[in-house]
Amino acid sequence: MGLVSPDPFPWNNSHAPLVTDWIQIMSNAYRLVQWNKHKKVYDLTLIAFLLVYLTSFVGIGMLLFPSPEEISLPILLIRAFGTCSIILLHVILAIGPLARISSKFNPLLYNRRHLGVIFFFVALTHALLVFMFYGGFGVENPISAVLIGSYRSGGIPYEYFGFVSLLIFGVMAATSHDFWLKNLSPSFWKSMHMSVYIAYAFVIAHVVFGVIQSEKNLLYPVMISSGVVLIASLHLITGLREFRRDFRFKMSSTQSPWVEVCTVDEIEPNRAKIVQIDTNERIAIFKDGCTLSAISNVCAHQNGPLGEGKIVDGCVTCPWHGYQYNASNGQSPPPFTEKIPTYEIRIEGNRVMINPNANEPGTPVKPAEFNPIFNAKPSEYDG
Amino acid sequence: MTVAGGRMNYISLTIIALAIYLVVGFLFAIAFIAKGARSIDEVAISTPLSVRLLLIPGSVLLWPKLLLIWVRK
Amino acid sequence: MDNSTSNPQNDEFYVGYLPIPKGYRKFINALLVTLFLWISAMSVIIVTTMRDPGYARWETGAAQQWTGTLVESPYPMLIPDDSTKPAIFVVSMGKLGAHERLAPFYDKHVTLSGYELNRDGRLLIELEDEESAIALESSVPTTRSQTPVHVDTIRLTGEIIDGKCYLGAMKPGDGVGHRSCAVLCIRGGLPPMFAAETPDGSKIYYLLMIDGSTNYSEESLGLVGRRVSLTAKHSTLLGLPILDSSNSQITLHEN
């Protein structure tokens, strides 16, 4: 069983980082940078896109409004960075549900943290420019000038919505290193994930009570509301799809804990079927050769959906970041130390039975063997 | 900073409190990357200083939580 | 045979640290082209639909000189010797008025050195920071009349803006986005002005005093940068239209 090296491009590790990479590939050591070819291409493409957006925005703005009717350059920059960060935020929020709809989007998901950190710096630049030019050069420090000035001027203090969302995104960016993933509690992460949507709502309020009030063009309310509709419907669609896709089973009412969940031929080779028994955590049942194993559907790294992964070189491989586990014991192959819960499984005839009581993470469980002649669909072995 | 009006006073107080929180957080962060990070996480022991510097922003923002984890260890 | 998902060609699986499978590569390339077109379109659409901040100049480069008489009230202004020219506001660099620097020179004949800001012929001088920016010519003022000519009481709708940003230092220098800056400017002693709406869409700029002063109270600052209607005494002084209103005569519009 060959172990896929998590980083086949170690020659890049000595390279001085341009953009810091907070990713540590599985927990054998923390690294400053864990570049690989994909991430390099990802980051370079992202930066190229940002430059195209910002330069075309500022360039066209300067050509379109020539002096003396020009828009002041700082204001043009504030708008370029502000609108850019809103577009980035929508891309970030769309990637998650899109990847659930089609695994084809997974390459965008793989390096989403970089996207998040870069988004934060774009939004921060917008805020710093606002503090510098709207808050600076006056009788007060720039921060008070904008924040207190906002209240002083009455009306809805839309600056606060932006400020609070920036704080939330700041905490997210600052804690995007895997050290935090490991050392902060699951409840912290749960509230962090929720607060992204609170921050998103604040960003929308910031736009609705801010720029839309002075730019009377109807296009802006149309644009921002289509953004909201897009994000909301993507989340709704994935939620519904997952709800429909889930195979839910009731706990056994008899003394026996075993629950029949599917038949052997329902599972594709090297792939898994995801089942949920009552309201317990989802279980992924993997087919590896002539054996079936049941493990938790939740990756220990970032809660990726393991059951949407595949067996690669004998290991269950997470579709999000490629974390790997032995299906028979829920452990990452050495030197890695990740562990996930396993489940007792057995096959009766063609029927797959699961004991929904999870074992401690990393507990070895004997895979259930089946006879391919009797259990497989014709298509699997017709060659 | 002279501010009239109660509502505005609350805002300036909040800004001052935020600034104090961040200054304390920065002092904490220095201690944390020097010692704390290693004592709460064995993986961080073998981690070079350059990587632990990346933990500064997070330590500045989340210092009360980290202090609690550190004290408990 | 019957089930396409068991076809090895469709069983591609993407792992970030392994070479990207063909099907994924195709899809991602198409997606990137779409994204590229989308962000380019967004950039062009947003920037071309922004409102025009209008004609306003902030002269930079070499400093200019003006000669005339300084007056303190209703706002520090220079009355140019050329009687065809209207009074010009005088301020400092940054978001600061020039009241203290000008104090020894009121009602005296001076030459000022600075930069001109100009919107639709309404002028403002930004003094250079050097002490030599104000040169005393003579202690005798020129004789142009300095008494405001009372015209009438009028009702107008528009926005309270700060004279410096709006006359060219920041464009656009009005609207919700500029609100906190306008408050900071007026607190710093820049001239509070009223940009009144007219039926044809153009604007008329007044110096706006509230309760006889351009030094606004906290309550008055709450009206800055917002759409308001006001009733005010209207007068003109040396070509400068002036409004004098009070907080009770100013009402906020929605938003």
Side-chain angles (χ1 to χ4, degrees):
Chain A
M1 182 172 77
L3 161 66
V4 177
S5 160
D7 184 8
F9 304 96
W11 37 269
N12 274 322
N13 286 339
S14 57
H15 201 275
L18 291 172
V19 178
T20 45
D21 178 334
W22 333 92
I23 293 206
Q24 159 235 4
I25 296 281
M26 308 178 78
S27 61
N28 59 337
Y30 292 120
R31 300 214 184 127
L32 183 62
V33 180
Q34 189 89 39
W35 287 109
N36 60 35
K37 192 178 163 199
H38 178 106
K39 285 187 202 168
K40 276 187 158 182
V41 172
Y42 192 112
D43 289 350
L44 287 175
T45 313
L46 177 56
I47 286 166
F49 276 32
L50 287 186
L51 287 178
V52 165
Y53 183 85
L54 295 172
T55 50
S56 68
F57 193 104
V58 174
I60 296 172
M62 288 172 82
L63 287 174
L64 209 64
F65 299 99
S67 179
E69 305 204 11
E70 84 268 23
I71 293 172
S72 301
L73 186 60
I75 292 180
L76 213 48
L77 286 170
I78 286 170
R79 291 175 177 183
F81 279 93
T83 52
C84 183
S85 63
I86 288 172
I87 291 171
L88 275 175
L89 181 60
H90 280 86
V91 172
I92 290 169
L93 291 178
I95 288 176
L98 283 174
R100 308 310 299 272
I101 291 169
S102 163
S103 68
K104 286 272 194 279
F105 288 96
N106 279 348
L108 292 189
L109 191 77
Y110 179 61
N111 206 13
R112 189 168 52 164
R113 274 195 217 179
H114 284 206
L115 192 55
V117 172
I118 287 173
F119 152 73
F120 169 72
F121 280 110
V122 172
L124 181 68
T125 308
H126 166 77
L128 289 178
L129 287 167
V130 165
F131 280 122
M132 201 186 302
F133 289 100
Y134 285 146
F137 312 106
V139 287
E140 223 170 351
N141 75 68
I143 293 170
S144 316
V146 172
L147 294 183
I148 299 180
S150 168
Y151 249 124
R152 206 173 246 128
S153 66
I156 295 163
Y158 75 98
E159 292 94 336
Y160 282 67
F161 297 125
F163 188 73
V164 171
S165 62
L166 190 69
L167 282 181
I168 294 173
F169 292 130
V171 174
M172 301 234 50
T175 55
S176 59
H177 191 287
D178 267 354
F179 173 87
W180 303 111
L181 211 53
K182 186 162 172 252
N183 288 296
L184 295 173
S185 59
S187 64
F188 171 84
W189 288 108
K190 204 169 179 186
S191 54
M192 276 319 281
H193 290 142
M194 285 317 295
S195 54
V196 176
Y197 294 99
I198 296 169
Y200 177 65
F202 279 170
V203 167
I204 300 303
H206 178 66
V207 174
V208 168
F209 296 115
V211 66
I212 283 179
Q213 300 301 322
S214 47
E215 293 288 326
K216 299 295 183 191
N217 199 317
L218 273 178
L219 206 60
Y220 301 128
V222 170
M223 277 171 147
I224 198 77
S225 47
S226 34
V228 173
V229 168
L230 177 82
I231 296 299
S233 46
L234 276 178
H235 281 79
L236 218 63
I237 289 166
T238 31
L240 276 176
R241 270 173 64 110
E242 231 148 73
F243 185 77
R244 284 212 200 113
R245 187 205 61 187
D246 273 353
F247 297 91
R248 265 179 232 81
F249 300 92
K250 285 258 173 277
M251 282 283 206
S252 171
S253 51
T254 60
Q255 297 293 329
S256 158
W258 295 94
V259 179
E260 183 185 335
V261 289
C262 61
T263 56
V264 172
D265 58 307
E266 281 177 44
I267 308 173
E268 302 295 333
N270 293 327
R271 294 283 190 171
K273 188 179 176 74
I274 301 168
V275 298
Q276 187 175 28
I277 299 170
D278 276 355
T279 52
N280 295 326
E281 200 60 81
R282 292 188 183 92
I283 302 169
I285 305 165
F286 272 94
K287 182 185 269 184
D288 185 9
C290 294
T291 63
L292 293 185
S293 299
I295 55 172
S296 163
N297 186 48
V298 182
C299 181
H301 174 229
Q302 279 192 35
N303 302 342
L306 282 177
E308 291 171 27
K310 189 184 176 185
I311 296 196
V312 178
D313 291 327
C315 285
V316 169
T317 306
C318 180
W320 282 10
H321 302 96
Y323 274 51
Q324 293 191 310
Y325 303 90
N326 284 321
S328 59
N329 61 12
Q331 298 176 12
S332 291
F336 307 112
T337 56
E338 271 69 22
K339 288 189 179 80
I340 51 168
T342 55
Y343 294 84
E344 305 290 335
I345 183 167
R346 70 183 196 211
I347 299 169
E348 286 176 7
N350 194 28
R351 298 175 304 151
V352 180
M353 317 285 284
I354 293 277
N355 179 346
N357 301 310
N359 295 318
E360 283 297 302
T363 308
V365 170
K366 193 175 177 300
E369 288 183 35
F370 61 88
N371 187 332
I373 310 223
F374 297 118
N375 293 105
K377 279 183 297 193
S379 63
E380 285 178 28
Y381 294 95
D382 59 354
Chain B
M1 185 161 50
T2 53
V3 194
R7 201 166 60 156
M8 279 171 230
N9 266 324
Y10 285 127
I11 296 159
S12 40
L13 280 176
T14 310
I15 293 173
I16 292 165
L18 199 67
I20 293 171
Y21 179 88
L22 293 179
V23 168
V24 174
F26 192 75
L27 297 175
F28 171 85
I30 294 169
F32 185 73
I33 63 154
K35 280 209 143 174
R38 290 168 171 203
S39 70
I40 69 165
D41 180 357
E42 65 278 10
V43 181
I45 293 171
S46 56
T47 305
L49 184 69
S50 58
V51 178
R52 280 180 285 135
L53 287 179
L54 277 187
L55 306 180
I56 288 180
S59 319
V60 171
L61 292 172
L62 299 175
W63 65 267
K65 204 170 170 60
L66 294 173
L67 191 63
L68 219 68
I69 299 174
W70 192 1
V71 166
R72 280 188 194 149
K73 284 264 164 166
Chain C
M1 227 158 50
D2 56 332
N3 193 332
S4 62
T5 52
S6 62
N7 179 345
Q9 246 97 64
N10 289 335
D11 197 31
E12 289 186 333
F13 182 66
Y14 169 80
V15 184
Y17 46 78
L18 297 178
I20 185 166
K22 227 185 217 161
Y24 279 88
R25 184 184 295 277
K26 262 187 173 170
F27 179 78
I28 288 299
N29 284 346
L31 185 64
L32 286 182
V33 171
T34 315
L35 270 176
F36 182 84
L37 294 176
W38 179 61
I39 62 155
S40 311
M42 289 299 275
S43 164
V44 172
I45 290 169
I46 294 171
V47 84
T48 51
T49 50
M50 294 192 301
R51 74 191 160 106
D52 187 337
Y55 178 100
R57 275 193 96 86
W58 187 6
E59 300 293 348
T60 49
Q64 277 179 276
Q65 272 75 42
W66 292 264
T67 303
T69 305
L70 277 176
V71 294
E72 183 180 13
S73 180
Y75 185 86
M77 295 188 294
L78 183 79
I79 298 163
D81 291 343
D82 180 349
S83 61
T84 62
K85 292 198 170 149
I88 311 172
F89 298 127
V90 183
V91 303
S92 287
M93 287 188 161
K95 296 175 184 173
L96 303 169
H99 303 68
E100 281 176 28
R101 291 173 69 190
L102 297 174
F105 302 97
Y106 287 134
D107 300 316
K108 287 170 183 162
H109 197 229
V110 294
T111 295
L112 301 180
S113 174
Y115 305 93
E116 182 185 289
L117 286 86
N118 177 354
R119 183 186 278 268
D120 296 343
R122 175 58 49 212
L123 301 185
L124 181 143
I125 297 168
E126 178 191 51
L127 282 180
E128 285 192 293
D129 273 338
E130 289 78 35
E131 244 178 81
S132 58
I134 311 167
L136 184 66
E137 298 291 335
S138 128
S139 293
V140 186
T142 44
T143 51
R144 286 179 74 186
S145 164
Q146 290 174 26
T147 319
V149 181
H150 179 75
V151 183
D152 49 9
T153 297
I154 52 173
R155 185 151 180 88
L156 296 164
T157 298
E159 183 180 330
I160 305 175
I161 42 101
D162 75 274
K164 190 173 182 182
C165 288
Y166 194 75
L167 296 187
M170 222 185 258
K171 289 185 283 181
D174 61 347
V176 173
H178 191 261
R179 205 160 64 184
S180 55
C181 179
V183 171
L184 180 67
C185 287
I186 292 172
R187 287 184 70 231
L190 294 176
M193 295 178 71
F194 191 70
E197 298 164 8
T198 61
D200 69 357
S202 65
K203 284 183 177 160
I204 303 173
Y205 315 122
Y206 300 86
L207 179 72
L208 177 62
M209 297 197 286
I210 296 182
D211 298 325
S213 168
T214 55
N215 184 12
Y216 280 14
S217 65
E218 288 290 338
E219 192 190 347
S220 308
L221 287 172
L223 302 165
V224 171
R226 310 182 69 188
R227 190 157 181 265
V228 293
S229 284
L230 53 76
T231 305
K233 277 184 287 184
H234 174 211
S235 57
T236 46
L237 173 65
L238 303 165
L240 173 73
I242 300 168
L243 297 175
D244 192 354
S245 187
S246 64
N247 284 320
S248 60
Q249 290 179 301
I250 306 176
T251 52
L252 280 170
H253 282 265
E254 291 305 312
N255 88 46

